[in-house]
Amino acid sequence: MSDIPAIDPTAAPSGAGCAECDAADGWWFHLRRCAFCGHIGCCDSSPSQHASAHAAAAGHPVITSFEPGEAWFWSYPDEQFYESGPALAGPEHHPLDQPTPGPAGRVPIDWQQRLHQ
């Protein structure tokens, strides 16, 4: 997987949370990182699904988890899950003090009813 052109191991994460959710004072369930440019977006279970939207708009087909303890990759075009992949520029996950869902203070009380299945 390390020779896939859709992965740039030198691209740093765009921030500690979903870029679009942060800009709109939104919230997310889990975070995903674009393996090409480092864009951090929210997962497909999150209300806004920004990681998938970024992949489609930018043409960057591979993501990885931005959650602590997870190192898997996903290829959208192939719908292929990879248990591991190349080491990427740090940090490898959001800050440990950031809750899931997050960020603190913006997650609604009924967040579980707002998730996509």
Side-chain angles (χ1 to χ4, degrees):
M1 178 162 204
S2 61
D3 59 348
I4 296 174
I7 298 176
D8 180 356
T10 67
S14 63
C18 175
E20 291 83 5
C21 287
D22 279 341
D25 289 329
W27 64 278
W28 53 81
F29 183 44
H30 289 123
L31 295 172
R32 305 296 179 237
R33 173 183 179 173
C34 175
F36 183 73
C37 72
H39 176 272
I40 302 300
C42 53
C43 71
D44 284 352
S45 294
S46 298
S48 297
Q49 304 173 331
H50 288 123
S52 290
H54 169 78
H60 298 165
V62 179
I63 60 166
T64 186
S65 178
F66 200 58
E67 295 294 325
E70 297 181 0
W72 55 262
F73 286 73
W74 174 260
S75 171
Y76 286 107
D78 304 330
E79 295 187 0
Q80 181 69 43
F81 175 82
Y82 299 90
E83 290 187 30
S84 64
L88 303 178
E92 297 174 0
H93 52 76
H94 64 74
L96 293 175
D97 63 351
Q98 180 176 293
T100 300
R106 294 202 316 240
V107 180
I109 293 172
D110 65 343
W111 66 269
Q112 291 168 315
Q113 286 77 30
R114 298 178 186 222
L115 296 178
H116 289 269
Q117 298 302 321

